[in-house]
RNA sequence: GCCCCGGUAGCUCAGCUGGAUAGAGCAACGGCCUUCUAAGCCGUAGGUCACGGGUUCGAGUCCCUUCCGGGGUACCA
């Protein structure tokens, strides 16, 4: 039984016996004792004063005495104001450490036949432009939350819906036809997704000139945006595409193939992957069918102009268009089709969509629509809504080319890592190939940690002028701590010092106990990170653990410690921290180098 | 206009779902390498938790007003 549960239970007994009060668990607050006070765990006694009718100090003393008598591992207690602090016995902490040390799955929940199957959709790129920093956040969050859910015993299917059709790709296609002069990734040496992105920007450039001209000639802006020759041409392409026009389909396939090849490179660099990929071009027709079924069954209705709508006002939402008046599908149409396809493919218990918070409303609507269409899983879908990445100048805009490109950013990070590492002379004995591997680990680790340590729900700021740090609260800090630990363990092995379990020492220092306490929190942190869909909770834990290890490392000898059992204890501590930090960071998608 | 989210140190972020004197990192200043990796450790300085009210033993945390920022808002995705 874990210590907190034990205190809960015995406190309930104490309140009954001392004050004849039947408490429930949620009236009892247990927290970690603040560092400035003596003790490990603290019970807040204020809520009990109404029943004890005594001072906070007196009440604390009485409950404290009761618990001390009835719980063996409580060594002593003290009361300060309304706070009852317990000192937990050394044995308890040593037991936890030994458990964490020997159990390679410490804190992890194993999946079984009854485990929920969770499908996590993330990435979901459009095929008209390369990935940028906003997509990086999405990809890292999606990958990490998938791993965290697995660590919580869920069966996870990582999925990607590629938005490979629609007006956006037609814009790039039209621009390429018109101004491309046969440019290809092969003959230009430009990565495919970047090349297609160039034409998307090219399209917008011409489009805006055309709109400006029309406005200058007296047309209203809104109409001009509808009448510009470029947009008309792009729309024609979309209609031809939907009509399966051979030439259009060929061009579409060619350009998308360029993009996929480019995306694969970026995904690989980022270390993210998918178990199943869906394409909008395969799902949007199913979406249409579902919408029409909805019309037939009376959930949706057709306007005079033959556009199709859902009236969601009784659900507290607005009316929502589902098919345009020309019969083409809108964004949400394909989401309906994709959902149907997925639930046919997998026995999904829970669907998680990793999509930015600008689409909060969209998912509210989708949930209701799916429910109306008779899917009972519609109501339970989870929109993992994350904040935007902003630049100092504001929101990123692909069309204006105002973005931090994913590939560029990664390569810049690697350059900085290489430079820094060379200056410090850390990897002088490494081969070039080996060193390059480590630079990439450090660069990616810094980038991933930088993004994942922030609460996903919040917007975050990225300043391209200041490169991401390798000192302080960073990925490199945690990696560095790990390499220190590995170094100590290597040296122990060199000296034929074996690290054995069942460690027992006469006394442990404050720093040592702090570390064990932090270790003991690992299982709860994993659960919390999973329940809250928050890699940030785990990232910050890894930092705290590493930070406390560095303090310990600074203040204590490990290998040099003459007393064998003490030395062993510290080696066990070190190995355990190393293991947890590696595990924790791996759930964030961060790799750990052995040396740096 | 209406709806949602946010505002914590100069900057970037934590703050365990209402508990003790609000914490880190960066930037600034000072100290620590003949002992296991100094990408580290220690210290100094830095705060009206946007503003004003309320709820209570106790509020950065919950409620309301106002201000500021971001997002959404029926044929963009």
């Amino acid at each position: 039984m874990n210590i907190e549960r034990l205190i809960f239970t015995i406190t309930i007994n104490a309140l009954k016996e001392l004050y004849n009060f039947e408490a429930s668990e949620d009236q009892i607050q247990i927290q970690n004792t603040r560092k400035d006070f003596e003790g490990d765990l603290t019970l807040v006694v204020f809520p009990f004063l109404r029943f004890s009718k005594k001072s906070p100090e007196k009440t604390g003393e009485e409950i404290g005495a009761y618990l001390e008598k009835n719980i063996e591992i409580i060594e002593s207690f003290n009361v300060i104001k309304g706070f009852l602090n317990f000192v937990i016995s050394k044995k308890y902490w040593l037991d936890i450490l030994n458990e964490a040390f020997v159990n390679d799955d410490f804190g992890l929940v194993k999946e079984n036949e009854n485990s929920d199957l969770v499908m996590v959709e993330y990435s979901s790129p459009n095929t008209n432009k390369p990935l940028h920093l906003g997509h990086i956040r999405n990809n890292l969050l999606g990958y990490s939350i998938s791993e965290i859910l697995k660590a919580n015993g869920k069966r996870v299917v990582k999925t990607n819906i590629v938005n490979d059709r629609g007006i956006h790709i037609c814009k790039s296609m039209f621009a390429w036809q018109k101004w491309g002069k046969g440019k290809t990734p092969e003959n230009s040496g430009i990565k495919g997704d970047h090349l297609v992105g160039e034409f998307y920007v090219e399209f917008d450039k011409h489009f805006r000139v055309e709109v400006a001209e029309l406005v200058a000639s007296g047309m209203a802006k809104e109409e001009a945006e509808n009448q510009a020759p470029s947009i008309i041409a792009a729309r024609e392409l979309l209609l031809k595409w939907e009509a399966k026009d051979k030439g259009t389909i060929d061009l579409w396939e060619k350009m998308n193939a360029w993009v996929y090849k480019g995306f694969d490179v970026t995904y690989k660099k980022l270390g993210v992957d998918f178990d199943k990929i869906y394409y909008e071009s395969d799902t949007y027709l199913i979406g249409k069918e579902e919408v029409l079924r909805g019309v037939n069954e009376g959930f949706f209705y057709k306007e005079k102009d033959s556009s199709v709508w859902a009236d969601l006002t009784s659900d507290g939402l607005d009316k929502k268009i589902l098919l345009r008046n020309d019969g083409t599908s809108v964004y949400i149409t394909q989401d309906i089709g994709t959902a149907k396809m997925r639930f046919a493919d997998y026995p999904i218990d829970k669907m998680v969509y990793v999509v930015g918070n600008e689409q909060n409303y969209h998912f509210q609507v989708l949930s209701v629509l799916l429910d109306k269409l008779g899917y009972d899983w519609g109501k339970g879908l989870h929109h993992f809504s994350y904040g935007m990445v902003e630049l100092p100048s504001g929101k990123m805009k692909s069309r204006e080319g105002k973005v931090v490109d994913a590939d560029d950013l990664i390569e810049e990070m690697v350059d900085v890592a290489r430079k820094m590492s060379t200056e410090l002379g850390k990897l002088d004995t490494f081969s070039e190939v080996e060193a390059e591997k480590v630079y990439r680990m450090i660069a990616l680790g810094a980038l991933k940690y930088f993004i994942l340590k922030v609460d996903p729900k919040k917007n975050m700021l990225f300043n391209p002028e200041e490169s991401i740090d390798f000192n302080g609260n960073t990925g490199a800090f945690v990696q560095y701590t790990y390499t220190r630990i590995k170094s100590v363990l290597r040296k122990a092995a060199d000296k034929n010092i074996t690290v054995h379990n069942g460690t027992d020492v006469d006394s442990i220092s404050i720093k040592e106990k702090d570390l064990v306490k932090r270790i003991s929190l690992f299982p709860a942190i994993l659960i919390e990170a999973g329940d809250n869909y928050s890699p940030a909770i785990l990232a910050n834990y890894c930092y705290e653990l590493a930070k406390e290890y560095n303090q310990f490392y600074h203040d204590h000898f490990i290998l040099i410690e003459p007393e064998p059992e003490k030395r062993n204890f510290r080696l066990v501590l070190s190995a355990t921290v190393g293991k947890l930090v590696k595990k924790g960071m791996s759930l964030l998608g961060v790799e750990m180098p052995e040396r740096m």
Side-chain angles (χ1 to χ4, degrees), chain A residues 218-376:
Chain A
M219 196 182 274
K221 191 171 181 229
E222 204 173 311
E223 204 193 338
E225 284 172 351
N226 261 316
Q227 298 299 327
S230 302
I231 192 71
I232 289 174
R235 269 199 223 110
E236 272 168 17
L237 267 185
L238 182 57
L239 286 173
K240 279 161 93 174
W241 183 90
E242 295 214 2
K244 298 203 168 16
D245 172 67
K246 174 87 166 58
T248 308
I249 296 282
D250 286 349
L251 176 61
W252 172 74
E253 280 177 349
K254 179 164 75 177
M255 289 180 76
N256 272 344
W258 296 345
V259 171
Y260 296 148
K261 215 169 161 193
F263 282 171
D264 283 345
V265 172
T266 310
Y267 284 145
K268 196 160 185 205
K269 279 198 262 188
L270 278 176
V272 302
D273 54 24
F274 305 94
D275 302 307
K276 172 78 181 173
I277 296 179
Y278 291 91
Y279 297 90
E280 188 187 338
S281 54
D282 294 330
T283 66
Y284 84 105
L285 288 174
I286 299 176
K288 267 190 182 177
E289 285 166 17
E290 283 298 286
V291 169
L292 294 175
R293 177 171 72 83
V295 175
N296 288 334
E297 298 183 14
F299 311 127
F300 308 143
Y301 66 93
K302 213 169 234 185
E303 274 290 352
K304 295 173 246 25
D305 68 356
S306 77
S307 56
V308 175
W309 296 77
D311 184 351
L312 306 177
T313 46
S314 61
D315 298 278
L317 302 168
D318 284 329
K319 291 176 182 169
K320 180 77 186 172
I321 188 158
L322 303 177
L323 289 177
R324 292 192 187 92
N325 59 14
D326 63 2
T328 55
S329 62
V330 295
Y331 183 50
I332 203 157
T333 320
Q334 63 90 7
D335 265 330
I336 295 169
T338 308
K340 186 183 181 195
M341 215 166 156
R342 285 169 172 161
F343 279 81
D345 290 348
Y346 295 91
I348 298 171
D349 295 297
K350 179 125 193 129
M351 184 69 217
V352 176
Y353 294 87
V354 182
V355 179
N357 63 12
E358 56 203 350
Q359 292 186 36
N360 286 354
Y361 183 72
H362 173 86
F363 281 97
Q364 262 180 289
V365 171
L366 182 63
S367 175
V368 174
L369 289 180
L370 291 174
D371 194 56
K372 281 197 191 299
L373 285 167
Y375 301 118
D376 51 4

Side-chain angles (χ1 to χ4, degrees), chain A residues 72 74 102 108 179 244 260 275 278 320 432 478 591:
Chain A
E72 206 180 334
I74 291 180
V102 298
L108 305 182
W179 303 292
K244 298 203 168 16
Y260 296 148
D275 302 307
Y278 291 91
K320 180 77 186 172
E432 213 168 292
V478 182
E591 291 180 284

Side-chain angles (χ1 to χ4, degrees), chain A residues 446 449-450 453 468-478 539-540 542-544 547:
Chain A
Y449 184 88
F450 178 83
K453 77 169 174 176
I468 292 171
D469 231 308
F470 296 110
N471 297 312
N473 186 356
T474 65
F477 177 95
V478 182
N540 286 306
C542 289
Y543 171 67
E544 295 292 337
K547 187 176 151 76

Side-chain angles (χ1 to χ4, degrees), chain A residues 4-5 20 106 271 294 335 340 433 446 493 509 527 567 577:
Chain A
E4 288 196 27
R5 292 234 64 77
N20 195 31
F106 179 67
D335 265 330
K340 186 183 181 195
V433 178
S509 70
I527 293 169
R567 184 181 66 198
V577 170

Side-chain angles (χ1 to χ4, degrees), chain A residues 481-495:
Chain A
T481 308
Y482 179 76
T483 58
R484 272 184 150 178
I485 290 169
K486 294 307 272 189
S487 177
V488 171
L489 296 176
R490 271 196 306 272
K491 292 205 158 111
D494 289 348
K495 293 184 178 180

